[in-house]
Every structure is written in C-alpha cells, then in structure tokens.
Amino acid sequence: MSALFVGENKFFLPETQSTNSYAISLLKNVNLPEGTLIYTHHQTAGRGRRNHGWESEPGMNVTASYTLKPTFLEVKKIFSLYVISSLAIYDVLSHFLPDGQFDIKIKWPNDILINGKKIAGVLNENILKEHHIQHSIIGIGININQTKFPKTIKATSLKILTNKDINLESVFEVLNSRLEKHYMKLKAERKANKNHYDSEIIKRYYKNMYKLNETCLLETAKGLGSYIIRGINENGLLLVEDDKKIVHEFDLHQVVWKI
Ligand code: BTN
C-alpha cells in the first residue's frame, strides 16, 4: 500500500552534510508539510547518536530524514518515535529479504541488526516549543548496496545478504508506507490512551527486540555488569534485571552495550 503523506513532499539533495541538519535548518524558515522527506546520495558529515558519525558510500544507501509533527505525543513519550522508525525499517528489511532466512533484531535504542551486524540506524531529533513537540526529525540510514565497510565496524547490507542490487526508490516506497502505517497506529494508540503492555506497537517491538530475556554485559554508572534485558517501560527506558532480581531503568545516556 502506498503512503498518503509520508514522502509525498520530498527534496533530493545530490550532496549535503547531514539530512537531519538540513531538515532542522529548513524547519526554522519554512513550514514543511508533515511527512516531508529529505534524502541525499552523499552525506559529507552524517551524524549518529552519541556524537558518532554515520559513514555511507555515495549513491549506495538510504540516507534520509523525515519531518513529522507529533503534537499528540507528550515529550516524555518521545522514544516511541524510535520505536515506530525501527519497526518501519524492520518491515523494509523483511520486504527485501527472503522469508525467514535472516534474524532481524531491533537493538535498543536505535540500531537494527541482522545476524548480529548493523544494517541500519535511526537518529531522532526534535524541536520543542513550550514543552510540546513542534517538529520531529527522523533520520534513517540503511545499508542497501554498499558491500565494503571499514574493518572496525561490524556492518552488513542488503546487497551483502542477497547478492542483489536494489533500486533505492523502491526502498523509499516501502519505507514511506511503513513509517506512515506505524506513525498512524501510534497516533491512534496515544489518542486512545492505550496501556503500554496492550499496545500492538510495543508487542511487535518486543517480538523483535535484541537480546530480550537474555543476559548481557552492560556498562552503567556502576561499571560493567551482567543484566537480563526485560524490555522497555512506557517512556522507552531500557528495563534490565540484576542478579538480585531487581529491575533497573536506564535512559539513552546511562547505558552502553558491551557484548
Ligand atoms: C546511529 O546509528 O547512531 C544513527 C545513524 C543515523 C544516520 C542517519 S543517515 C540520515 C540522517 N542524517 C544524519 O546525519 N544521520 C541520520
């Protein structure tokens, strides 16, 4: 099914520093329609979370930002934008991969892995006004046709996995429609004040969550420790259980995976 508004208005930039940065500066001057897509073939200074860069070979991959206006969302629930973007990427990858052959996982907070290697990442940035979300920028990088990556990163791409080149426009068609679908579902669930554990979005997130109910080594303010991953709470904090069965909540800045 094609999207109604996500990706309807779009800007293609042959080259830009970062589509997220471009979207943010554009939003300061122009009232973009919700769902605007900004994409490029070459990011010269792509950004990831925690001040990391995002490297992508020109013309090979999805490097794009969508602008949304989730005015229905409380600021404390902002993480749900990472949830729906991850689900949309999950759907795109399932669409282009043969059924059931690959283990696609959503690694909290913003990575998508296949067979333990990173294939996509999300960078969500928001413009707030008087404690409300005025604009949200969903930056998405998906490795599509690139086959060589620096040895220092464990990365993969659809081409490496399928040995086929994939037309980037066809990836955007699926991405636009799945992002719209999950965004509209989120909107409906928030408007109905749906309970976290009854949410279909959260159920799908749990179904595909990396290391759910498994023991992992994490670095927190207390140092390195083993914890069982138990999911996310209603505000997107990671829930982990220690060896005394106490459940802790960590936010994006309080924990680093050490696996
Ligand atoms: C991460 O893995 O930490 C997130 C990576 C997000 C990369 C995308 S590419 C398009 C958009 N523009 C950016 O500068 N970053 C995001």
Side-chain angles (χ1 to χ4, degrees):
M1 208 184 83
S2 60
L4 295 175
F5 67 95
V6 170
E8 254 312 278
N9 184 43
K10 59 184 176 185
F11 294 82
F12 170 69
L13 311 165
E15 181 176 297
T16 189
Q17 289 189 331
S18 148
T19 53
N20 266 38
S21 307
Y22 189 91
I24 292 167
S25 55
L26 206 57
L27 283 165
K28 286 188 182 140
N29 303 305
V30 190
N31 192 12
L32 295 173
E34 177 160 52
T36 295
L37 163 64
I38 294 159
Y39 64 119
T40 186
H41 275 172
H42 188 199
Q43 277 193 142
T44 55
R47 298 187 287 111
R49 268 190 63 244
R50 298 195 296 135
N51 288 332
H52 288 172
W54 180 260
E55 304 285 341
S56 178
E57 210 177 301
M60 293 293 187
N61 303 315
V62 165
T63 42
S65 302
Y66 292 89
T67 68
L68 295 172
K69 293 182 195 178
T71 44
F72 57 87
L73 202 60
E74 294 163 80
V75 174
K76 65 181 181 190
K77 298 221 179 279
I78 229 161
F79 186 80
S80 49
L81 297 171
Y82 271 117
V83 172
I84 58 154
S85 319
S86 303
L87 291 177
I89 296 172
Y90 183 98
D91 289 350
V92 168
L93 297 171
S94 320
H95 179 93
F96 287 98
L97 287 169
D99 274 355
Q101 286 183 26
F102 296 98
D103 190 24
I104 311 170
K105 289 288 173 207
I106 302 171
K107 183 179 177 190
W108 182 96
N110 68 326
D111 291 347
I112 314 295
L113 308 184
I114 296 190
N115 300 341
K117 293 186 175 171
K118 183 155 170 169
I119 191 160
V122 182
L123 178 64
N124 171 222
E125 297 180 293
N126 299 286
I127 301 174
L128 305 182
K129 195 178 179 192
E130 287 150 17
H131 310 293
H132 293 286
I133 307 170
Q134 196 183 22
H135 296 287
S136 185
I137 296 99
I138 311 278
I140 293 180
I142 314 177
N143 299 333
I144 307 290
N145 294 317
Q146 183 169 341
T147 53
K148 294 206 167 36
F149 294 92
K151 289 210 171 64
T152 45
I153 53 169
K154 270 170 66 183
T156 191
S157 68
L158 283 180
K159 171 84 190 256
I160 292 175
L161 298 170
T162 61
N163 216 13
K164 289 190 190 125
D165 278 303
I166 296 169
N167 175 282
L168 292 181
E169 291 301 321
S170 67
V171 178
F172 277 112
E173 250 176 60
V174 184
L175 182 58
N176 294 346
S177 84
R178 301 305 148 95
L179 186 61
E180 181 170 301
K181 179 182 133 192
H182 294 298
Y183 182 64
M184 294 313 288
K185 183 94 203 159
L186 173 68
K187 193 174 196 167
E189 288 193 350
R190 291 319 314 141
K191 290 206 159 169
N193 210 6
K194 190 110 174 175
N195 175 282
H196 180 66
Y197 290 102
D198 294 334
S199 154
E200 284 170 40
I201 292 174
I202 295 303
K203 284 183 194 160
R204 270 213 63 200
Y205 190 84
Y206 272 41
K207 200 162 161 237
N208 304 302
M209 189 177 178
Y210 179 70
K211 299 280 184 195
L212 185 66
N213 297 322
E214 291 179 35
T215 303
C216 284
L217 195 59
L218 302 177
E219 187 172 337
T220 69
K222 290 185 189 151
L224 279 185
S226 272
Y227 298 90
I228 304 172
I229 308 299
R230 289 300 188 201
I232 57 172
N233 78 0
E234 64 279 13
N235 298 329
L237 303 189
L238 184 67
L239 297 173
V240 302
E241 185 182 311
D242 68 17
D243 53 1
K244 295 183 185 73
K245 299 210 172 305
I246 297 169
V247 175
H248 305 261
E249 299 178 343
F250 291 122
D251 86 9
L252 275 57
H253 314 284
Q254 293 173 319
V255 61
V256 178
W257 297 85
K258 291 280 170 191
I259 307 157

